[in-house]
Amino acid sequence: MSLFPPEEGTATLFQSPPTEESLLEGLTDSQKEAVTHKDGPALVLAGPGSGKTRVITRRLVWLLTQGIPEHQILAITFTNKAAGEMRARVETLLPGTRLQVSTFHSFGVKFLRQYAEQAGIDRGFLIYDQSDRLRMTKTAIEDAGLDDTRFNPDRVSAAISKAKNLLLSPAAYEAQAADYWSKQVAQVYPAYQKRLRQANALDFDDLLYLPAMALRQNAELRARCDSRWKYLLVDEYQDTNLAQYALARQLCQDHPNLFVVGDPDQSIYKFRGSDIRNILDFERDYPACRTILLGANHRSTQAILRAADSLIANNRQRKPKVQTTHNPKGRPVEVVAFENQESEAEGVALRIRDEIQAGRRSLRDFAVLVRMNALTRALEQAFIKHRIPFQIVKGLAFFERKENKDAVAYLRLLCNPKDDVSFLRVVNEPARGIGKTSIEHIEAHARARDLSLLEAAGQAEFIPGLTGRAAQAVVKFARLIEKLTPLASGQPDQALIKVLDETGYKAALKKTDDADEDHLANIEELITAARQFAQLDPAHDVAAFLENISLASDLDGFNTSQESVTIMTMHAAKGLEFPVVFMVAMEQGLLPHERSLDNELELEEERRLCFVGMTRAMQELQLSHARLREFRGRTTYTIPSSFLDELPHDVRRIERGMRRSDPDYSVDHPMDYDDIPPVMAPPKPAPARSAGPAAPFTPRAGEPDELRQGMFVSHGEYGVGQIVEASGNGALRKVRIRFQTAGLRVFLASKAKLTIVHPGEDF
């Protein structure tokens, strides 16, 4: 049965198809050019807020009105949310259409179900999530005869993931392994793949790796798919990795109608394997391509765009462009310094509260963006204190809760009896008297006879070492799963209800004293999610529900209609917009991240991430940092982010709580040198110790390694201060300086632009 729409057949009959004039109404000239591009490759450089989703959806409909059959058009984007929005917009413009709009991974799943034989897999595969993957990696490390205390499963799993994203098979990876670490991973990789195949499971990377390899190695399949999808559109092309790049390229050899949309300045997923060169080199890969620039920003004020452009202009890996807008100048971008993270969170909360109470804003207008979720604690406390409703967008947290993972593991075992990972998770959940030793006996029996753990469990009475009571419990569990297996072909919500009752899982939750209400509520919510999924299509069975869960993205848990302030990472915010944005913890080591400080390419990605965060703002943008921050169990003096120094002069800089007499003291106009109290003024040169007067010292810029404890230096923003500590060397040298008004500040010497006003040898 085909999982894609028919390759051939009559086109769908549309209701009142739009005219070309109506499709192009309200578009700019460059948007019209993109919409009406038909044949040949095209690169659309779409800056933030440039209306790219509008362009993509209208182009899809325009192609249909040109007589292109819908089954020949394939549109791919990066999130379920974006794909759903595109489908809805196309449906609004052209009711009755069934265009294929999906994520890369969703496409990969359908491709592998359809062409499983050509890909060398069983089409009934399950998809492992990250925790399952780590458990499988740990087992593979043991299979390879390595010590899992020396070889961290997280690191090994990341290395295997990177290999797949680079389209390296176990043999190819082993051939290029040059150092000790890579050679050890090369032993684990084939053992890991073998375990996956035995469990009839794929990991998330396989959903791209296997289709790309199948198309590369099977010329007939490649030609068939190329002919099937003659018009391919890829959104967010700057975030593609090698596997995604290869997929798109293989599908567009005979019919090179590849239309890609993206922005190099918004490439922020290198940690997931994305390669900015894919978009930067597109014109080299496709010399006949047409390049279209969508430079008009319809989202942000002039002040916000000017600040964002000033920042991103410092990157070298980009295609230079200047954003334009007809929006008003707007309120100046603010850079606010706070004493600590608590006052920072308090400042954000109070500003939101005041805006709400004055009736100027609604809660949904506000977003607080952080570099990582670990930075949300102080914000949560401040919002709770002031009774400000908020939601933290943490993506898959709901499905990661223990009780939900247990319930899902039961369903997976029903669909795939070879799933050893799910077996191990639920065989003694709830407790059945099957302990660690019993499980080890089952594993040994299965390994010796090449059986799945569930198959081995069915033979528990014949496994040496299992006691009578334990053997009976294991056999009873195996028979229970066998009894429940037919539920896999039914509706997922009904299967969940039956499984939770028959296994005793729900009854066990009710017996707990501490968190039974929360755990039961989570289970009920999972059943509701399964019911809602089944209502979308009566044909949806348990396997389809599990697949839907496995393809969930970070934004699937984001309720855009909820009347609350949104707290989320900058990565998760990509593609969204809010009237007011707060970006907190703008400090060296956080943004930019500490891992990027000695790597120019990674530093550029951090700058792009900052750019993405700033351009989510429509009307107001506040960037803030704290002088003291408690993070990962340590309280440290911080250095303001170097990115703040790259903003234009018209950014408003404010210090809150730095002077007792004026909590809103602004440093837009730094204190003059003459205002520094005598105690902080640089000392006069010491009397000469030898014949002749001492030569006066001329103020000059200090090189990083030259800056030492005791020196008096001048800073453009904080005035004159004395270095009380210096550590590190070169680009990583840090100096701690005590200023009269700003107190202690810590800087990266290479970024701070310090002038030595007295060498301080006598101190």
Side-chain angles (χ1 to χ4, degrees), residues 476-734:
K476 184 178 180 181
F477 173 77
R479 290 174 179 168
L480 173 63
I481 298 301
E482 182 181 1
K483 172 188 172 184
L484 296 174
T485 296
L487 294 173
S489 59
Q491 291 192 326
D493 56 319
Q494 296 302 316
L496 261 176
I497 293 171
K498 188 75 170 176
V499 164
L500 292 170
D501 286 339
E502 292 286 331
T503 60
Y505 193 89
K506 189 172 183 179
L509 281 183
K510 290 181 177 179
K511 292 179 181 178
T512 59
D513 297 325
D514 51 355
D516 59 332
E517 290 297 329
D518 287 341
H519 294 166
L520 284 171
N522 290 335
I523 288 291
E524 292 297 335
E525 185 62 26
L526 182 64
I527 294 172
T528 299
R531 183 178 299 115
Q532 291 173 343
F533 177 76
Q535 289 171 348
L536 295 175
D537 185 345
H540 282 162
D541 57 10
V542 172
F545 177 63
L546 294 174
E547 183 176 297
N548 181 260
I549 291 174
S550 67
L551 295 174
S553 69
D554 292 345
L555 288 178
D556 288 347
F558 179 32
N559 184 353
T560 55
S561 63
Q562 183 172 316
E563 190 59 34
S564 61
V565 176
T566 299
I567 303 175
M568 66 198 321
T569 66
M570 293 167 200
H571 283 100
K574 190 164 178 288
L576 303 176
E577 61 184 23
F578 302 89
V580 184
V581 169
F582 298 89
M583 292 172 59
V584 301
M586 294 285 295
E587 294 145 19
Q588 210 71 0
L590 293 177
L591 185 68
H593 194 279
E594 60 185 351
R595 289 194 300 266
S596 70
L597 297 180
D598 58 352
N599 185 309
E600 190 62 32
L601 294 181
E602 292 187 8
L603 185 63
E604 288 205 359
E605 173 137 343
E606 290 292 297
R607 189 178 285 113
R608 291 193 293 269
L609 182 60
C610 186
F611 174 80
V612 166
M614 293 172 68
T615 53
R616 300 312 93 196
M618 301 167 68
Q619 297 162 8
E620 298 180 32
L621 173 63
Q622 175 180 299
L623 314 174
S624 63
H625 59 95
R627 188 166 64 169
L628 284 170
R629 185 169 301 278
E630 182 182 345
F631 187 63
R632 293 177 178 169
R634 297 178 59 189
T635 301
T636 58
Y637 286 99
T638 69
I639 304 172
S641 171
S642 57
F643 296 155
L644 299 177
D645 295 330
E646 298 172 356
L647 302 179
H649 65 86
D650 59 348
V651 167
R652 186 181 178 212
R653 297 180 186 269
I654 302 169
E655 291 197 358
R656 299 199 184 279
M658 298 302 181
R659 274 186 171 183
R660 293 180 184 176
S661 59
D662 184 4
D664 292 329
Y665 170 64
S666 170
V667 295
D668 284 331
H669 306 288
M671 182 167 55
D672 291 334
Y673 179 81
D674 292 338
D675 291 335
I676 299 175
V679 70
M680 282 298 296
K684 296 178 180 179
R689 292 197 178 107
S690 58
F697 181 81
T698 302
R700 57 182 173 77
E703 295 297 324
D705 289 334
E706 184 183 14
L707 299 173
R708 302 186 306 277
Q709 181 178 345
M711 283 184 171
F712 282 81
V713 293
S714 177
H715 185 272
E717 183 172 318
Y718 302 115
V720 174
Q722 186 175 26
I723 298 176
V724 297
E725 183 181 351
S727 61
N729 298 293
L732 297 180
R733 187 167 180 79
K734 294 181 181 179

Side-chain angles (χ1 to χ4, degrees), residues 361-373:
R361 297 282 185 190
S362 68
L363 289 165
R364 282 186 294 172
D365 288 343
F366 298 97
V368 186
L369 306 185
V370 294
R371 175 62 178 81
M372 58 195 78
N373 281 316

Side-chain angles (χ1 to χ4, degrees), residues 91-127:
E91 174 69 21
T92 299
L93 290 169
L94 201 55
T97 185
R98 292 182 57 220
L99 271 181
Q100 301 170 60
V101 183
S102 70
T103 66
F104 265 110
H105 289 91
S106 295
F107 171 80
V109 171
K110 292 181 179 179
F111 180 95
L112 292 173
R113 301 280 189 211
Q114 181 87 23
Y115 302 113
E117 183 178 349
Q118 291 90 330
I121 60 173
D122 183 326
R123 65 168 36 90
F125 62 82
L126 290 176
I127 304 168

Side-chain angles (χ1 to χ4, degrees), residues 146-163:
L146 303 179
D147 184 354
D148 63 359
T149 61
R150 293 183 57 203
F151 295 92
N152 183 281
D154 281 294
R155 287 192 62 204
V156 175
S157 178
I160 294 174
S161 174
K162 183 177 181 180

Side-chain angles (χ1 to χ4, degrees), residues 403-462:
E403 56 275 14
N404 288 344
K405 284 187 70 68
D406 289 345
V408 167
Y410 270 113
L411 295 184
R412 285 170 37 171
L413 196 56
L414 301 188
C415 292
N416 181 8
K418 295 180 180 180
D419 185 1
D420 290 348
V421 170
S422 293
F423 175 91
L424 290 172
R425 183 174 190 93
V426 298
V427 66
N428 198 43
E429 192 66 58
R432 298 184 174 91
I434 305 172
K436 180 180 178 182
T437 302
S438 296
I439 291 173
E440 289 174 350
H441 288 309
I442 297 171
E443 289 178 316
H445 184 82
R447 192 161 44 245
R449 292 159 180 79
D450 198 22
L451 302 173
S452 71
L453 294 182
L454 185 60
E455 288 175 318
Q459 303 173 8
E461 295 168 310
F462 308 103

